[in-house]
Amino acid sequence: HLTFDRCGLSDTGVVALGKGIEAAKSLASLHLVFHDCGLGDTGVAALGKGIEAAKSLASLHLTFAFCKFGDTGVAALGEGIEAAKSLASLHLTFWGCDELGDTGVAALGEGIEAAKSLASLHLGLEGCKRVGHAALEGFSHKLKSSRSSASVEFENHAEGYFTVDAHFEPPLETEDVLTVDAHLEMPPDSARVSHTYQRLCCPM
């Protein structure tokens, strides 16, 4: 579990981290938090490549807050998730990532759709100004089409606030549950989001 909080970390450092993940062949669990680090598409793509090579990875938890990457980086992350054949638990949170848009969310959905070993999923988006109704609704449709035993519910609560919830029906011999909780809510200002993030994700 590593947290990078406003530490001046650049893509160069994250590329090196991605190579380390790629070399850790027996890695089973990974939890990374990036808060206001200047992380861009190149760095996120390197993480995706590392995840792709981590064949034993069963649990992945990534939190990105106020980072600089966009659709290209998230698409590469989706490719890594797609190739992670042992991945059972996935937790992704995006806070105030203004460069992330509908295209990136759609590509991420494709990767999740192909991750057939996935048993539990949490996706959170808040303050991502370029992500809208169409992306999250498309995400829910992908889950419906790829998961025949899933019950998927998409809700538009208010402007700028959407949720997607999905659950697996337990198969005959095993009990797998898929839960998707995706949120997009525009805060009044970035200071409020930053305060909330610090309180919930990065306690002092």
Side-chain angles (χ1 to χ4, degrees):
H1 182 167
L2 296 174
T3 297
F4 303 94
D5 187 4
R6 289 176 289 193
C7 56
L9 180 69
S10 67
D11 278 349
T12 301
V14 181
V15 167
L17 177 63
K19 290 180 179 179
I21 295 170
E22 189 174 352
K25 302 300 183 183
S26 62
L27 183 66
S29 178
L30 180 64
H31 187 161
L32 299 173
V33 178
F34 300 91
H35 178 223
D36 198 12
C37 297
L39 176 62
D41 286 325
T42 301
V44 176
L47 287 178
K49 186 177 180 181
I51 292 165
E52 180 178 351
K55 302 302 183 183
S56 299
L57 189 64
S59 175
L60 177 62
H61 187 142
L62 299 175
T63 298
F64 304 98
F66 309 106
C67 295
K68 307 300 182 184
F69 58 80
D71 295 338
T72 302
V74 173
L77 182 62
E79 291 176 0
I81 291 169
E82 177 179 351
K85 302 303 183 183
S86 299
L87 189 61
S89 175
L90 177 62
H91 190 293
L92 297 174
T93 304
F94 301 91
W95 290 67
C97 298
D98 290 342
E99 299 302 316
L100 176 60
D102 290 353
T103 302
V105 172
L108 181 64
E110 290 178 1
I112 292 172
E113 176 187 0
K116 301 302 184 182
S117 63
L118 200 61
S120 66
L121 169 67
H122 172 83
L123 172 64
L125 296 102
E126 184 167 355
C128 302
K129 299 177 181 178
R130 295 180 58 236
V131 179
H133 175 281
L136 294 183
E137 188 171 30
F139 180 81
S140 68
H141 287 319
K142 283 185 178 297
L143 289 178
K144 286 180 181 179
S145 64
S146 64
R147 307 282 187 168
S148 59
S149 61
S151 171
V152 182
E153 181 179 356
F154 172 80
E155 293 187 51
N156 183 357
H157 299 277
E159 183 177 358
Y161 175 41
F162 314 110
T163 62
V164 180
D165 296 286
H167 302 275
F168 271 150
E169 296 178 2
L172 294 177
E173 297 183 357
T174 61
E175 186 172 344
D176 295 328
V177 179
L178 172 67
T179 301
V180 183
D181 183 11
H183 301 276
L184 170 62
E185 184 172 9
M186 293 304 301
D189 52 60
S190 60
R192 175 174 171 266
V193 176
S194 180
H195 175 74
T196 303
Y197 177 84
Q198 287 293 320
R199 178 167 54 85
L200 295 178
C201 301
C202 298
M204 297 301 292

